[in-house]
Amino acid sequence: MAMVKHVLKRILMMLAGFFVSVLIGLIAVVVIYSALAALPNAPDYFGAMGVTPVVVLLWPPLGMFVYFLTIILTGLQTLIFALIAEFFALRNFLVHMLFGAAAAAAGFFLIWPGAEEDVERWADIGIIAGAGLVAGLVYWLIAGRDAGFRRPLIQR
């Protein structure tokens, strides 16, 4: 019974970590775009990305749409990475950050299939992967530090 309780706790921690990390990842995307918009020769749409949070705050259904779209686009690969981390008890924060970057980039490729061939979108891929690094770190803080479906043995 204790094993079932532990596995259920891990599953709930994985879900909570995923939902919070998606939100923080979206905030990281906006912060990165806003910071890069100040650089010389930055594309014009980088500046527009800094205005989008205001639009999202003024019209919450748009924010919920972006949040749930991100969950749909990154859900499967994140589930795979989270299960790998749980089965092998991977607790290193760098592994979770790399998993987050890979999941975010894969989600970007799902919504923009020809992005790897479009040289102008390579910066976007890097920005999304950078936000995935942040999201992976947040996931590690919530659920990854104690990864592992097997309960640790209690030392007496």
Side-chain angles (χ1 to χ4, degrees):
M1 188 64 176
M3 181 66 170
V4 172
K5 187 190 280 188
H6 177 73
V7 170
L8 287 175
K9 176 185 168 197
R10 293 301 314 147
I11 290 171
L12 288 175
M13 292 301 291
M14 288 168 49
L15 285 172
F18 173 64
F19 291 135
V20 172
S21 66
V22 166
L23 181 63
I24 299 299
L26 287 172
I27 293 169
V29 166
V30 172
V31 169
I32 293 170
Y33 271 116
S34 297
L36 292 178
L39 294 176
N41 298 327
D44 292 335
Y45 71 92
F46 278 20
M49 296 300 284
V51 177
T52 54
V54 176
V55 174
V56 169
L57 286 175
L58 293 177
W59 199 48
L62 178 63
M64 294 305 291
F65 173 74
V66 171
Y67 181 69
F68 287 121
L69 180 65
T70 306
I71 287 172
I72 291 168
L73 290 173
T74 61
L76 182 61
Q77 55 268 34
T78 303
L79 175 66
I80 292 168
F81 291 145
L83 289 176
I84 289 170
E86 291 295 327
F87 282 121
F88 294 108
L90 302 175
R91 295 183 176 137
N92 189 341
F93 72 96
L94 291 174
V95 171
H96 289 278
M97 289 176 71
L98 291 175
F99 282 170
F108 184 78
F109 287 126
L110 285 174
I111 203 164
W112 204 302
E116 71 273 358
E117 298 166 1
D118 190 4
V119 176
E120 295 176 357
R121 296 292 168 229
W122 287 2
D124 295 322
I125 296 167
I127 291 168
I128 299 299
L133 288 172
V134 172
L137 179 63
V138 170
Y139 178 84
W140 175 79
L141 288 170
I142 295 171
R145 292 183 295 172
D146 300 322
F149 280 134
R150 285 182 271 166
R151 291 183 54 193
L153 296 174
I154 298 173
Q155 304 267 333
R156 294 179 198 220

Short mmCIF file of all heavy atoms in Angstrom, two decimals, residues 13-23 67 70-72 74-76 78-79 139 142-143:
data_model
loop_
_atom_site.label_atom_id
_atom_site.label_comp_id
_atom_site.label_asym_id
_atom_site.label_seq_id
_atom_site.Cartn_x
_atom_site.Cartn_y
_atom_site.Cartn_z
N MET A 13 3.09 14.93 -8.35
CA MET A 13 4.21 15.87 -8.40
C MET A 13 4.63 16.12 -9.85
O MET A 13 4.98 17.26 -10.21
CB MET A 13 5.40 15.34 -7.59
CG MET A 13 5.15 15.30 -6.10
SD MET A 13 4.77 16.93 -5.40
CE MET A 13 6.32 17.73 -5.57
N MET A 14 4.60 15.07 -10.69
CA MET A 14 4.94 15.24 -12.10
C MET A 14 3.95 16.19 -12.78
O MET A 14 4.34 17.08 -13.54
CB MET A 14 4.95 13.89 -12.81
CG MET A 14 6.11 12.99 -12.45
SD MET A 14 5.94 11.28 -13.02
CE MET A 14 5.49 11.45 -14.72
N LEU A 15 2.66 16.00 -12.51
CA LEU A 15 1.64 16.87 -13.11
C LEU A 15 1.78 18.31 -12.63
O LEU A 15 1.73 19.25 -13.44
CB LEU A 15 0.25 16.34 -12.78
CG LEU A 15 -0.20 15.11 -13.55
CD1 LEU A 15 -1.52 14.59 -13.00
CD2 LEU A 15 -0.33 15.42 -15.03
N ALA A 16 1.95 18.50 -11.34
CA ALA A 16 2.10 19.85 -10.80
C ALA A 16 3.35 20.51 -11.37
O ALA A 16 3.32 21.68 -11.78
CB ALA A 16 2.17 19.81 -9.28
N GLY A 17 4.44 19.76 -11.44
CA GLY A 17 5.67 20.29 -12.01
C GLY A 17 5.52 20.68 -13.47
O GLY A 17 6.02 21.72 -13.90
N PHE A 18 4.79 19.87 -14.22
CA PHE A 18 4.59 20.15 -15.64
C PHE A 18 3.76 21.41 -15.83
O PHE A 18 4.13 22.31 -16.60
CB PHE A 18 3.92 18.96 -16.33
CG PHE A 18 3.53 19.23 -17.76
CD1 PHE A 18 4.50 19.50 -18.71
CD2 PHE A 18 2.21 19.22 -18.14
CE1 PHE A 18 4.16 19.75 -20.03
CE2 PHE A 18 1.85 19.46 -19.45
CZ PHE A 18 2.83 19.73 -20.40
N PHE A 19 2.64 21.53 -15.12
CA PHE A 19 1.77 22.68 -15.31
C PHE A 19 2.45 23.99 -14.89
O PHE A 19 2.33 25.01 -15.57
CB PHE A 19 0.45 22.50 -14.57
CG PHE A 19 -0.43 21.43 -15.16
CD1 PHE A 19 -1.06 20.51 -14.37
CD2 PHE A 19 -0.61 21.34 -16.53
CE1 PHE A 19 -1.87 19.52 -14.91
CE2 PHE A 19 -1.41 20.36 -17.10
CZ PHE A 19 -2.04 19.44 -16.28
N VAL A 20 3.17 23.96 -13.79
CA VAL A 20 3.86 25.17 -13.33
C VAL A 20 5.03 25.50 -14.27
O VAL A 20 5.24 26.66 -14.62
CB VAL A 20 4.34 25.02 -11.88
CG1 VAL A 20 5.23 26.17 -11.46
CG2 VAL A 20 3.16 24.89 -10.94
N SER A 21 5.75 24.49 -14.71
CA SER A 21 6.89 24.75 -15.60
C SER A 21 6.46 25.28 -16.96
O SER A 21 7.16 26.09 -17.56
CB SER A 21 7.76 23.50 -15.75
OG SER A 21 7.07 22.48 -16.43
N VAL A 22 5.31 24.86 -17.45
CA VAL A 22 4.79 25.42 -18.71
C VAL A 22 4.51 26.91 -18.53
O VAL A 22 4.87 27.73 -19.38
CB VAL A 22 3.53 24.66 -19.18
CG1 VAL A 22 2.81 25.44 -20.27
CG2 VAL A 22 3.89 23.29 -19.69
N LEU A 23 3.88 27.27 -17.43
CA LEU A 23 3.59 28.68 -17.17
C LEU A 23 4.87 29.50 -17.06
O LEU A 23 5.00 30.57 -17.68
CB LEU A 23 2.75 28.81 -15.89
CG LEU A 23 2.35 30.23 -15.51
CD1 LEU A 23 1.44 30.83 -16.58
CD2 LEU A 23 1.66 30.22 -14.17
N TYR A 67 -1.68 28.98 -23.18
CA TYR A 67 -1.24 28.04 -22.14
C TYR A 67 -1.63 26.60 -22.51
O TYR A 67 -0.80 25.69 -22.48
CB TYR A 67 -1.84 28.45 -20.80
CG TYR A 67 -1.47 27.57 -19.64
CD1 TYR A 67 -0.17 27.56 -19.16
CD2 TYR A 67 -2.41 26.77 -19.01
CE1 TYR A 67 0.18 26.76 -18.09
CE2 TYR A 67 -2.08 25.98 -17.93
CZ TYR A 67 -0.77 25.97 -17.47
OH TYR A 67 -0.43 25.18 -16.43
N THR A 70 0.26 25.27 -25.52
CA THR A 70 1.61 24.86 -25.12
C THR A 70 1.58 23.51 -24.40
O THR A 70 2.46 22.67 -24.62
CB THR A 70 2.24 25.93 -24.22
OG1 THR A 70 2.19 27.19 -24.89
CG2 THR A 70 3.68 25.59 -23.88
N ILE A 71 0.59 23.30 -23.57
CA ILE A 71 0.46 22.00 -22.89
C ILE A 71 0.25 20.89 -23.91
O ILE A 71 0.87 19.82 -23.82
CB ILE A 71 -0.69 22.05 -21.87
CG1 ILE A 71 -0.28 22.88 -20.66
CG2 ILE A 71 -1.12 20.66 -21.43
CD1 ILE A 71 -1.39 23.16 -19.68
N ILE A 72 -0.59 21.14 -24.91
CA ILE A 72 -0.85 20.12 -25.94
C ILE A 72 0.41 19.85 -26.76
O ILE A 72 0.74 18.70 -27.05
CB ILE A 72 -2.02 20.56 -26.83
CG1 ILE A 72 -3.32 20.51 -26.04
CG2 ILE A 72 -2.12 19.69 -28.08
CD1 ILE A 72 -4.49 21.20 -26.72
N THR A 74 3.60 20.28 -25.98
CA THR A 74 4.74 19.74 -25.26
C THR A 74 4.40 18.56 -24.36
O THR A 74 5.29 17.97 -23.76
CB THR A 74 5.40 20.83 -24.39
OG1 THR A 74 4.45 21.31 -23.44
CG2 THR A 74 5.93 21.97 -25.24
N GLY A 75 3.13 18.20 -24.28
CA GLY A 75 2.69 17.18 -23.33
C GLY A 75 3.28 15.80 -23.56
O GLY A 75 3.78 15.17 -22.62
N LEU A 76 3.25 15.30 -24.79
CA LEU A 76 3.70 13.93 -25.04
C LEU A 76 5.19 13.77 -24.80
O LEU A 76 5.61 12.84 -24.10
CB LEU A 76 3.35 13.51 -26.47
CG LEU A 76 3.73 12.08 -26.83
CD1 LEU A 76 3.00 11.09 -25.94
CD2 LEU A 76 3.43 11.82 -28.29
N THR A 78 7.11 15.63 -23.01
CA THR A 78 7.40 15.84 -21.59
C THR A 78 7.03 14.60 -20.78
O THR A 78 7.75 14.23 -19.85
CB THR A 78 6.64 17.07 -21.07
OG1 THR A 78 7.01 18.20 -21.86
CG2 THR A 78 6.97 17.34 -19.63
N LEU A 79 5.92 13.96 -21.13
CA LEU A 79 5.53 12.72 -20.45
C LEU A 79 6.60 11.65 -20.64
O LEU A 79 6.99 10.97 -19.68
CB LEU A 79 4.19 12.22 -20.97
CG LEU A 79 3.73 10.87 -20.43
CD1 LEU A 79 3.45 10.96 -18.93
CD2 LEU A 79 2.50 10.40 -21.18
N TYR A 139 10.73 22.47 -13.32
CA TYR A 139 10.22 21.10 -13.13
C TYR A 139 11.11 20.35 -12.14
O TYR A 139 10.62 19.64 -11.26
CB TYR A 139 10.16 20.35 -14.46
CG TYR A 139 9.67 18.94 -14.29
CD1 TYR A 139 8.32 18.65 -14.23
CD2 TYR A 139 10.56 17.88 -14.12
CE1 TYR A 139 7.86 17.37 -14.03
CE2 TYR A 139 10.12 16.60 -13.92
CZ TYR A 139 8.77 16.35 -13.88
OH TYR A 139 8.33 15.07 -13.67
N ILE A 142 10.40 21.30 -8.60
CA ILE A 142 9.13 20.80 -8.06
C ILE A 142 9.11 19.28 -7.95
O ILE A 142 8.74 18.73 -6.93
CB ILE A 142 7.95 21.29 -8.93
CG1 ILE A 142 7.86 22.82 -8.82
CG2 ILE A 142 6.64 20.64 -8.51
CD1 ILE A 142 6.88 23.44 -9.78
N ALA A 143 9.50 18.59 -9.02
CA ALA A 143 9.32 17.14 -9.05
C ALA A 143 10.59 16.35 -9.32
O ALA A 143 10.67 15.18 -8.98
CB ALA A 143 8.28 16.77 -10.12
#
